[in-house]
Amino acid sequence: GENVEQHPSTLSVQEGDSAVIKCTYSDSASNYFPWYKQELGKGPQLIIDIRSNVGEKKDQRIAVTLNKTAKHFSLHITETQPEDSAVYFCAASRSNYKLTFGKGTLLTVNP
Amino acid sequence: DAGVIQSPRHEVTEMGQEVTLRCKPISGHDYLFWYRQTMMRGLELLIYFNNNVPIDDSGMPEDRFSAKMPNASFSTLKIQPSEPRDSAVYFCASSPIYIHEAFFGQGTRLTVV
């Protein structure tokens, strides 16, 4: 089955700096790569996703890049703010709705 | 819509007891998922349904776990008998057809003592 590795497990940045989280996947048939944000006491919430026919996608301060050859994808958050502090999960899926999640990254943005 | 609704939010039970977790998906969503979250193993997919039919239960850890979806607006995850290693946060999520986004509930924090 699919295996998703996520790094780093914790990340601390100063407000205004950029944050990058990286993931690798094992199943070359995976074609959907979402990122979820989980705040304390809540369920994960989708923040951005990318499909295998696209190399990069942006949404305001958030961007995701995908390298299918190397089987890795990354989340980039620019101009970080304290409210960006949360746990971030990457995931991978074939077109069957079954998501395999990475172990998560605890992002702390220091004011 | 109120989103995915899970109950109870917290459950504390003694080892050996039966535990039932409940989920009401978002109306109109065709897919329903049960996940378990622990520090050690992260978010694991236990089982998912499409139009109330179980599609993949390969993530269910053992026969003590069972899930049902009797209709489009209700699902249960049952653990019988419960064990301390079942302690975790259990999430229910739902998705509409053709859209992969999973909408998660607030979760049920289960503690088995």
Side-chain angles (χ1 to χ4, degrees):
Chain A
E2 175 67 276
N3 182 51
V4 177
E5 299 284 339
Q6 182 171 347
H7 300 280
S9 56
T10 62
L11 178 60
S12 181
V13 299
Q14 289 298 122
E15 183 177 357
D17 287 350
S18 295
V20 180
I21 303 170
K22 299 182 179 182
C23 289
T24 60
Y25 61 98
S26 61
D27 186 353
S28 56
S30 289
N31 58 13
Y32 175 67
F33 307 94
W35 287 87
Y36 282 78
K37 176 183 181 182
Q38 185 177 24
E39 298 177 337
L40 195 62
K42 297 185 177 181
Q45 184 174 10
L46 180 72
I47 55 171
I48 194 168
D49 56 13
I50 191 168
R51 296 189 181 274
S52 58
N53 58 347
V54 175
E56 183 176 4
K57 184 176 179 181
K58 288 184 179 180
D59 183 4
Q60 299 182 341
R61 297 185 297 108
I62 294 174
V64 57
T65 59
L66 171 65
N67 183 326
K68 283 217 72 177
T69 303
K71 288 193 279 190
H72 65 70
F73 56 113
S74 301
L75 177 71
H76 304 254
I77 305 174
T78 59
E79 300 172 16
T80 53
Q81 302 167 2
E83 51 265 38
D84 294 330
S85 296
V87 178
Y88 291 81
F89 293 93
C90 62
S93 171
R94 299 184 177 192
S95 301
N96 63 356
Y97 296 86
K98 184 175 178 179
L99 292 172
T100 300
F101 284 88
K103 290 284 175 60
T105 297
L106 174 61
L107 173 64
T108 303
V109 180
N110 302 298
Chain B
D1 199 314
V4 175
I5 300 173
Q6 291 186 246
S7 64
R9 289 295 311 277
H10 302 274
E11 176 80 36
V12 180
T13 191
E14 292 186 347
M15 182 174 63
Q17 295 298 305
E18 177 180 298
V19 175
T20 300
L21 311 182
R22 297 172 175 79
C23 175
K24 175 178 169 52
I26 294 173
S27 177
H29 283 193
D30 300 279
Y31 289 83
L32 184 137
F33 309 85
W34 282 101
Y35 285 89
R36 178 171 67 176
Q37 185 174 39
T38 61
M39 288 295 293
M40 289 298 295
R41 301 174 69 90
L43 266 168
E44 302 173 279
L45 178 65
L46 301 177
I47 185 171
Y48 78 97
F49 296 82
N50 178 23
N51 291 327
N52 313 340
V53 176
I55 302 301
D56 187 339
D57 65 354
S58 59
M60 296 286 261
E62 44 196 282
D63 291 345
R64 298 184 297 106
F65 286 70
S66 63
K68 294 182 179 179
M69 192 166 186
N71 57 61
S73 59
F74 184 66
S75 177
T76 60
L77 178 67
K78 185 177 294 186
I79 308 172
Q80 164 67 12
S82 58
E83 296 182 4
R85 61 194 169 114
D86 301 330
S87 297
V89 180
Y90 291 81
F91 286 102
C92 176
S94 67
S95 292
I97 194 168
Y98 302 129
I99 298 175
H100 276 70
E101 178 176 359
F103 294 79
F104 283 79
Q106 297 271 57
T108 295
R109 180 174 294 278
L110 173 65
T111 303
V112 183
V113 298

